[in-house]
Amino acid sequence: MADQAPRPAREFVVEADGGSRGNPGPAGYGAVVLDPVTGEALVEAAEYLGVVTNNVAEYRGLLAGLRAAAELDPDATVHVRMDSKLVVEQMSGRWKIKHPDMKPLAAEAARVFPPGRVTYEWIPRASNKHADRLANEAMDAGARGEAWSPSDSTAELDAGGADRAAPAGRTAGSRRTGAASAVAPA
């Protein structure tokens, strides 16, 4: 039996966002795993977090995106794109992590993939519309006392330019786009 050549590692782009309405305030995150060649959304995740700071919400979005990418392929390389300069600079090792609430979140994010397999890029907020829409859908659902529902999300549509109000949500978690099965929330 001939040895099979190792398959090349997959590559993903993770776009993540978090927000709070007040700081701290009612908060949520959104994350999407994209195919870097086609731009296709492979997994979306969003969750209402209750009352936390904006920075905690940003880190929770990063964690959700990294975990979703790891579920797709734990050997992948990942390029993270976020509009949080703080998270990008801290996770890139250029800024110290001083706040005690951020240290365990950053450490947890660093454990999802080994060092060297994740790169970080700051992008303007206008370039992070898909993840931003997911975070806002999660916060809107939380304000109604509901959990975010992937089946009711308009984030993928909005990332392409549409700007509609999100319908009422029913369940929280994440979803693989293009497939009927949902992925369990992190």
Side-chain angles (χ1 to χ4, degrees):
M1 183 165 162
D3 289 330
Q4 291 183 346
R7 71 176 171 85
R10 290 178 71 183
E11 296 179 18
F12 298 119
V13 172
V14 168
E15 293 180 350
D17 197 18
S20 63
R21 296 176 178 161
N23 201 19
Y29 69 74
V32 59
V33 180
L34 303 168
D35 179 297
V37 175
T38 66
E40 176 190 2
L42 303 173
V43 179
E44 293 177 324
E47 184 179 3
Y48 176 69
L49 299 171
V51 175
V52 300
T53 66
N54 181 68
N55 291 334
V56 166
E58 294 277 9
Y59 265 104
R60 293 286 304 274
L62 169 62
L63 276 164
L66 290 173
R67 287 177 179 147
E71 284 185 23
L72 290 173
D73 186 346
D75 298 319
T77 58
V78 179
H79 182 69
V80 175
R81 298 167 26 104
M82 296 181 72
D83 60 28
S84 170
K85 185 83 167 166
L86 177 83
V87 173
V88 167
E89 295 299 321
Q90 287 179 340
M91 292 304 298
S92 296
R94 292 184 289 267
W95 291 1
K96 281 190 163 231
I97 303 169
K98 297 176 183 176
H99 197 283
D101 290 346
M102 302 303 113
K103 288 180 181 182
L105 294 170
E108 192 174 343
R111 286 191 299 268
V112 178
F113 285 98
R117 292 232 318 266
V118 181
T119 57
Y120 291 88
E121 175 188 4
W122 176 84
I123 58 173
R125 185 175 185 188
S127 298
N128 202 21
K129 288 183 179 182
H130 192 150
D132 178 70
R133 168 55 84 183
L134 290 167
N136 277 290
E137 286 178 2
M139 286 184 278
D140 291 346
R144 294 188 305 270
E146 300 171 355
W148 176 78
S149 173
S151 64
D152 293 332
S153 176
T154 63
E156 193 166 9
L157 298 173
D158 289 348
D163 193 13
R164 314 184 329 205
R170 288 184 297 273
T171 61
S174 62
R175 71 169 170 183
R176 290 179 190 236
T177 58
S181 63
V183 178

